[in-house]
């Protein structure tokens, strides 16, 4: 009897040890770029040492370091779809590692990658030993979009993670209107919305405990109500995600998903194009030259675009005439991509220790035409200009003056949700195209939510010859903190 019990104990122990070892064979790491609210994933098998990278950003050293630190070889590289919000690093990573590049061939001939790759279709599988990734075609955000269903121990019924890209987010789903709004593919948004509805219905048949790992978080323009929580489950999204509450109401879903989507940044169209076509590679983070006084003067004379990345308080105290102010914070790349022509050669004004970070942010959206940088503006023999910044008290004293123009440079949705009475709206990314709506002969007072976008708008107006510009830097935040009313 004792021998029998001992044998049973040995079998059970062996079973749990065996399954523990198998469970540990899955390597999984999320790489999150806060500047674009974009997630990529490294999935590997610690037994075979193979790894796949999904939706790589362009500064690929991140993935090379992860592989090295975890004794993995990047053997596969892939994407969930042709991205519009960042320049993919998939081809660079495949070239640097010798990995095979696997991409979607779904969606029809108009939505295909135009360079060599291994084909992925609905039902295709990528195998990393006992770890497998099964492809589910989930169109809607774009026609070619795919989701990767990660399974372990070759158990086809055991979906443990879904890498959903821009299909399903935590708290939201991918917007189907980008092709129409950003790339002018007229007539695609309603078709996309209906495809998205069908994709959701199919996805909802997966096990409720399926983990959802999306391509974006809060701050992305790829949806309207994304959460900052990195991961969810299908059960949680069924219960709380508003886009998953429409059951059989396709018309209601289409109406909901197309309403209230934010205006996409200008650079999205260029990203969509560059991610689809063959293009030159950029394997390493570029080294940007530091300009001396003569070189900076020459750049200004030759009308290169000077982008001042310093904090708004510093810029207000002195900036180069004709320069554009875009603070080098988390949203730097998005603002640059929204305001700058890709053909324009640029010079950065920034501290030396900020240059690598700024370069990485710019290369992630393909903004590579950087002539150099300077961190010594105040010591240059340049005639610097200063900003006219006012507080709430002075702002209020001007509100009733008929000869003063007031402009709120927040987005249209922000403005509709509450603005200061008598102030008109021209969103920052549309300001330069709507200068004719502002009289150069009259003072103009601008503001935004916190002062960051207003400082940019100030530089745009001054750069375009507006002399009498005033910045209410406190903006809506300051207005509300002082118990003042907003109108809708």
């Amino acid at each position: 009897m004792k021998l029998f019990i001992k044998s049973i104990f040995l079998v059970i122990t062996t079973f749990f040890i065996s399954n523990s070892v198998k469970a540990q064979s899955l390597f999984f790491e999320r790489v999150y770029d806060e500047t674009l609210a974009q997630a990529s994933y490294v999935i590997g098998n610690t037994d075979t040492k193979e790894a796949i990278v999904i939706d790589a950003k362009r500064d690929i050293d991140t993935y090379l370091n992860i592989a090295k630190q975890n004794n993995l070889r990047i053997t596969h590289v892939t994407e969930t779809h042709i991205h519009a919000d960042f320049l993919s690093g998939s081809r660079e990573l495949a070239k640097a590692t010798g990995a095979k590049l696997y991409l979607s061939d779904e969606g029809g001939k108009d939505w295909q990658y135009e360079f060599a790759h291994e084909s992925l279709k609905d039902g295709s599988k990528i195998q990393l030993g006992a770890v497998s990734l099964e492809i589910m075609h989930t169109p809607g955000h774009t026609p070619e979009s795919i989701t990767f269903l990660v399974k372990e121990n070759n158990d086809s019924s055991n979906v443990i993670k879904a890498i959903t890209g821009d299909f399903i987010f935590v708290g939201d789903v991918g917007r189907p209107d980008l092709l129409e709004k950003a790339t002018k593919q007229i007539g695609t948004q309603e078709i996309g919305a209906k495809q998205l509805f069908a994709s959701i219905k199919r996805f909802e048949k997966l096990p409720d405990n399926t983990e959802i790992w999306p391509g974006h978080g809060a701050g992305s323009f790829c949806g309207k109500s994304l959460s900052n929580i990195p991961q969810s489950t299908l059960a949680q999204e069924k219960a709380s995600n508003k886009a998953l509450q429409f059951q059989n109401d396709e018309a209601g879903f289409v109406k909901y998903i197309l309403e209230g989507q934010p205006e996409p940044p200008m650079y999205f169209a260029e990203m969509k194009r560059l991610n689809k076509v063959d293009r030159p590679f950029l394997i390493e983070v570029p080294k940007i030259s530091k300009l001396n006084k003569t070189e900076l003067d020459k750049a200004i004379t030759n009308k290169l675009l000077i982008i001042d990345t310093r904090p708004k308080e510093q810029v207000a105290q002195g900036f180069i005439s004709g320069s554009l102010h875009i603070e080098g914070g988390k949203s730097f790349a998005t603002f640059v991509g929204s305001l700058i022509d890709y053909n324009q050669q640029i010079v950065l004004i920034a501290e030396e220790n900020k240059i690598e970070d700024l370069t990485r942010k710019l290369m992630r959206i393909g903004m590579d035409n950087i002539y150099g940088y300077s961190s010594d503006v105040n010591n240059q023999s340049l005639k610097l200009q200063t900003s006219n910044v006012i507080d709430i008290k002075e702002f209020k004293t001007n509100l009733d003056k008929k000869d003063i123009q007031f402009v709120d440079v927040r987005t249209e949705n922000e403005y509709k949700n509450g603005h200061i009475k008598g102030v008109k709206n021209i969103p920052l990314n549309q300001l330069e195209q709507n200068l004719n709506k502002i009289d150069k002969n009259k003072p103009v007072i601008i503001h935004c939510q916190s002062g960051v976008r207003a400082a940019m708008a100030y530089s745009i107006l001054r750069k375009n010859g507006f002399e009498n510009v005033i910045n209410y830097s406190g903006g809506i935040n300051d207005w509300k903190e002082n118990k003042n009313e907003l109108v809708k």
Side-chain angles (χ1 to χ4, degrees), residues 174-300:
R175 56 191 294 186
D177 63 319
L178 272 183
L179 292 176
E180 185 156 331
K181 289 181 179 174
T183 64
K184 309 306 178 188
Q185 301 285 337
I186 305 303
T188 58
Q189 62 177 356
E190 189 167 329
I191 294 171
K194 291 179 179 179
Q195 289 178 335
L196 185 58
F197 183 77
S199 294
I200 291 169
K201 294 296 109 184
R202 182 185 178 199
F203 187 82
E204 286 179 328
K205 295 176 183 177
L206 293 173
D208 276 351
N209 64 345
T210 301
E211 295 175 13
I212 293 173
W213 293 87
H216 294 290
S220 168
F221 282 84
C222 293
K224 56 183 175 180
S225 56
L226 284 73
S227 170
N228 61 2
I229 299 171
Q231 175 265 331
S232 183
T233 65
L234 180 54
Q236 289 169 328
E237 293 310 298
K238 283 180 177 178
S240 61
N241 189 325
K242 190 171 180 180
L244 271 61
Q245 307 307 309
F246 287 87
Q247 301 302 320
N248 298 316
D249 182 10
E250 181 188 67
F253 173 83
V254 170
K255 183 176 185 296
Y256 163 76
I257 203 62
L258 294 179
E259 282 181 346
Q261 294 287 2
E263 186 68 24
M266 180 175 66
Y267 78 97
F268 273 30
E270 182 67 2
M271 292 302 91
K272 197 75 176 173
R273 183 186 72 81
L274 289 175
N275 282 326
K276 184 179 180 181
V277 303
D278 205 0
R279 58 170 173 79
F281 294 152
L282 185 63
I283 300 295
E284 296 181 335
V285 179
K287 303 295 183 186
I288 308 303
S289 300
K290 185 172 185 177
L291 306 179
N292 59 34
K293 176 188 178 302
T294 302
E295 290 169 328
L296 179 59
D297 288 343
K298 186 176 179 181
I300 295 170

Side-chain angles (χ1 to χ4, degrees), residues 131-179:
V131 177
S132 67
L133 291 83
E134 183 176 327
I135 281 65
M136 176 184 280
H137 181 213
T138 48
H141 174 65
T142 61
E144 80 288 350
S145 289
I146 55 177
T147 290
F148 294 89
L149 306 179
V150 183
K151 306 177 183 183
E152 200 173 10
N153 301 330
N154 293 314
D155 183 355
S156 61
S157 64
N158 182 27
V159 180
I160 54 174
K161 300 179 191 295
I163 313 302
T164 55
D166 293 14
F167 165 42
I168 292 183
F169 302 120
V170 179
D172 202 356
V173 294
R175 56 191 294 186
D177 63 319
L178 272 183
L179 292 176

Side-chain angles (χ1 to χ4, degrees), residues 101-106 112 117-121 124-125:
L101 181 62
Y102 292 81
L103 299 170
S104 172
D105 276 342
E106 291 285 5
Q112 302 297 301
H117 60 272
E118 302 288 329
S119 174
L120 291 178
K121 292 275 194 178
S124 296
K125 286 186 180 179

